[in-house]
């Protein structure tokens, strides 16, 4: 842990989730920090979800340690705990209990026992937070700083090390002694772990392909380089050797951080003085035996400060990270080793509000919708304090830490011309005085006429509105399917029996009802429909539309007896009745030019009746508003 040379101790808080702890929440929260950040820096919190049966307020340290060991990247660690105080004990005693619990957890995680820890207490009557630290005695800390830019604070100081390592573990066992298979897997696991520090092991560190224009040469670290008494070129190099010095206009996040790729190499044959013939040893089995191969692919992510030596980054972060993940995967495999063996894959996530990545190991044997996997994600949402109705930890949301040849993160590349996102951000105000503003939540892509070289001018506006809506569900990770083409939309309507086969390839219009059918078939999304007999009735629907944006947050398709549009928000003054509608117009036929789109009014506020008496919604036309419902899922 970084030294605190000041006599005045300061609690530095990077997470806003401490504010969400209420006096009615009796669950302990583990405080997470980093040895590479100043003392008493709280980066995040993890909720304790395993407690003893005899006392639901006491953590089950062993189960908590197993979970956190798998979840938390090396470079981050438990630095304390937060609990809600009780009327029967003093705040100081509650802080002591919190510090004692975190100390026991650190011991189970094999973390340093000499660390000065933080005890945070929520006052049961006022809800106020108090902080204490453990030195020789428990001391109160009154200086608390809330960091304005937590991601920048973490990532301008640090970088990411990644290592992927495929492993095949042979397990030979007697069919009469099945217990031997478990012992064999354990021994095979320990044999692999021994190789991580084997004298023949070499680690190659380099920047991922194309991450910098002039990438430094790879650095080779051998086992002997871990010995501080041995001088080598590798032992003097720091992580900053691979880090960019240009931080201008840099977006600070785990995915945009400087990255160092670590490769594991093992020389299985050494130099010999003279040729030798290969030798095979035959050991007959006592009875019938079988061979199974347990196939793993380790994927480890670690956080390191840029001024740490590369040798220390490998020996103190990468190797322990590989050991932890291999043990976790072995323990997940053992219960079903000889039956329906799990298909394990590690994934890294950086959900909202968390300045650092976390790792989860999913069993992908049955897919994401299998109830066991749903419960795993629900448990993770609870531990991380994430919403229980948003799919933030699905595989589609996983970080892509690979780097493409042109230097962009793998998950940011798109085929063809990139589509504009969130074109409504920053547009002029609606002109409604004293109105209440309700807008679409999250991100979407703007689909309009003539994109992708496809001529749908005059008939494809509803298709384009549907594509914008599907893009919202995709970006928010409610689905992993691609945005459907016009033909795929038509195919879906034919398959459900709404249209005849001749509809495919036609230029027939579709409306709100057809869109609801397609969303249900392709995404499993249900919709509500608001029918409006005349444009003059639109102000009467403002409250209902506002409630939709506040509770569901999805884009709305406007159809009916006129052209189709996408509704992104409502501004409404319920006293005066003045209102405006934020319209995204799919009839635009130009290129992806944001300035041209905004200045041309293709995305902008439309008044029911503007200052010149012009109506956007016509009194002699009917309208259907399609309100897609946000799925309640994790």
């Amino acid at each position: 842990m970084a030294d605190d040379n000041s006599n005045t101790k300061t609690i530095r808080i990077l997470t806003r989730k401490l504010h969400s702890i209420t006096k009615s929440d009796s669950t302990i929260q583990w405080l997470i920090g980093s040895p590479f950040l100043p003392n008493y820096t709280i980066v995040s919190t993890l909720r304790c979800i395993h407690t003893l049966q005899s006392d639901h307020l006491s953590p089950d340290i062993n189960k908590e340690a197993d979970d956190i060991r798998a979840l938390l990247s090396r470079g981050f660690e438990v630095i304390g705990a937060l609990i809600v105080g009780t009327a029967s004990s003093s705040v100081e005693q509650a802080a002591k209990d919190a510090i004692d619990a975190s100390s026991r957890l650190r011991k189970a995680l094999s973390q340093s026992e000499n660390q000065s820890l933080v005890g945070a207490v929520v006052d049961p009557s006022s809800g106020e937070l108090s902080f204490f630290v453990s030195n020789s005695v428990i001391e109160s800390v009154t200086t608390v700083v809330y960091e304005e830019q937590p991601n920048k604070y973490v990532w301008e100081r640090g970088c990411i090390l990644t290592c992927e390592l495929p492993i095949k573990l042979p397990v030979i066992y007697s069919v009469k002694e099945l217990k031997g298979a478990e012992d064999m897997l354990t021994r095979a696991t320990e044999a692999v772990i021994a190789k991580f520090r084997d004298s023949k092991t070499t680690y190659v560190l380099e920047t991922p392909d194309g991450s910098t224009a002039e990438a430094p040469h790879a650095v080779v670290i051998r086992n002997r380089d871990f010995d501080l008494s041995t001088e080598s070129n590798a032992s003097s190099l720091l992580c900053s050797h691979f880090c960019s010095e240009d931080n201008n206009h840099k977006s600070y996040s785990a995915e945009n951080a400087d990255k160092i790729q670590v490769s594991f190499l093992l020389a299985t044959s050494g130099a010999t003085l003279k040729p030798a013939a290969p030798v095979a040893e035959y050991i007959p089995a006592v009875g019938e035996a079988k061979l199974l191969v347990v196939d793993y692919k380790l994927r480890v992510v670690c956080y390191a400060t840029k001024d740490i030596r590369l040798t220390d980054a490998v020996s103190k972060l990468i190797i322990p990270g590989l050991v932890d993940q291999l043990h976790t995967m072995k323990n997940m495999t053992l219960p079903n080793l000889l039956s329906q063996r799990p298909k394990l894959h590690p994934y890294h996530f950086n959900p909202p509000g968390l300045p650092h990545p976390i790792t989860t190991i999913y069993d992908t044997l049955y897919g994401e919708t299998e109830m066991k996997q749903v419960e795993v994600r629900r448990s993770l949402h609870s531990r991380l304090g994430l919403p229980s109705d948003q799919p933030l930890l699905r595989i589609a949301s996983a970080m892509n830490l690979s780097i493409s040849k042109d230097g962009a993160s793998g998950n940011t590349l798109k085929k063809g011309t990139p589509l504009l996102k969130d074109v409504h951000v920053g547009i002029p105000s609606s002109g409604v005085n004293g109105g209440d503003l309700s807008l679409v939540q999250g991100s979407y892509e703007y689909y309009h006429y003539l994109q992708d070289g496809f001529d749908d001018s005059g008939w494809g506006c509803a298709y384009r509105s549907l594509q914008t809506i599907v893009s919202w569900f995709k970006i928010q990770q409610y689905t992993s399917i691609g945005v459907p083409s016009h033909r795929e939309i038509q195919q879906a309507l034919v398959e459900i029996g709404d249209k005849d086969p001749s509809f495919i390839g036609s230029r027939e219009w579709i409306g709100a009802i057809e869109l609801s059918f397609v969303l249900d078939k392709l995404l499993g999304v249900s919709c509500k429909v608001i029918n409006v007999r005349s444009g003059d009735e639109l102000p009467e629907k403002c409250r209902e539309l506002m409630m939709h944006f506040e509770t569901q947050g999805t884009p709305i398709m406007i159809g009916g007896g006129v052209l189709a549009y996408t509704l992104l928000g409502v501004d409404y003054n319920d006293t005066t009745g003045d209102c405006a509608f934020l319209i995204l117009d799919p009839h635009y036929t130009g290129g992806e030019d944001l300035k041209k789109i905004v200045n041309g009014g293709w995305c902008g506020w439309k008044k029911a009746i503007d200052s010149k008496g012009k109506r956007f919604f016509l009194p002699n036309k009917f309208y259907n508003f399609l309100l897609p419902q946000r799925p309640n899922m994790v």
Side-chain angles (χ1 to χ4, degrees), residues 207-215 255-257 259 261 400-415:
T207 55
D209 290 342
S211 58
T212 59
E214 297 180 0
E255 285 195 283
N256 294 326
K259 299 177 183 66
Q261 182 175 293
N400 185 349
L401 295 175
S402 63
I403 303 296
S404 67
K405 293 295 183 182
D406 66 353
S409 295
N411 66 340
T412 62
L413 296 179
K414 294 182 65 66
K415 295 181 180 178

Side-chain angles (χ1 to χ4, degrees), residues 443-500:
S443 292
Y444 60 88
E445 292 174 324
Y446 179 28
Y447 284 82
H448 57 79
Y449 279 169
L450 303 186
Q451 278 178 330
D452 304 321
F454 184 76
D455 185 2
D456 58 344
S457 182
W459 62 275
C461 51
Y463 293 83
R464 296 299 186 178
S465 181
L466 175 60
Q467 289 176 328
T468 293
I469 291 171
V470 173
S471 77
W472 185 94
F473 282 95
K474 183 175 175 60
I475 293 172
Q476 268 60 240
Q477 308 299 342
Y478 285 104
T479 181
S480 58
I481 72 164
V483 175
S485 65
H486 294 58
R487 188 177 187 87
E488 288 169 336
I489 293 169
Q490 293 173 341
Q491 180 72 40
L493 290 170
V494 170
E495 289 178 0
I496 64 173
D498 181 67
K499 302 291 183 184
D500 294 329

Side-chain angles (χ1 to χ4, degrees), residues 114-133:
N114 298 322
Q115 172 68 42
S116 180
L117 301 176
V118 179
V121 181
V122 178
D123 186 277
S125 57
S126 67
E128 292 184 359
L129 270 171
S130 300
F131 292 94
F132 298 80
V133 296

Side-chain angles (χ1 to χ4, degrees), residues 9-13 18-19 21-23 29 31 40 42 45 79-86 89-99 117-134 138-146:
K9 295 179 175 58
T10 299
I11 302 291
R12 186 176 301 274
I13 299 176
L18 285 180
H19 289 301
I21 308 299
T22 65
K23 56 188 178 182
Q29 302 271 337
L31 305 179
Y40 315 129
I42 302 172
T45 65
I79 64 165
L82 177 149
I83 63 175
V84 177
T86 62
S89 63
S90 66
V91 176
E92 289 79 5
Q93 181 58 48
K96 185 178 183 300
D97 293 340
I99 289 171
L117 301 176
V118 179
V121 181
V122 178
D123 186 277
S125 57
S126 67
E128 292 184 359
L129 270 171
S130 300
F131 292 94
F132 298 80
V133 296
S134 64
I138 303 295
E139 300 178 41
S140 174
V141 179
T142 57
T143 305
V144 180
V145 175
Y146 287 87

Side-chain angles (χ1 to χ4, degrees), residues 307-319:
D307 58 7
I308 189 178
R309 298 190 316 167
L310 292 173
T311 50
D312 289 338
V314 173
S315 63
K316 298 178 181 179
L317 298 173
I318 288 293
I319 292 177

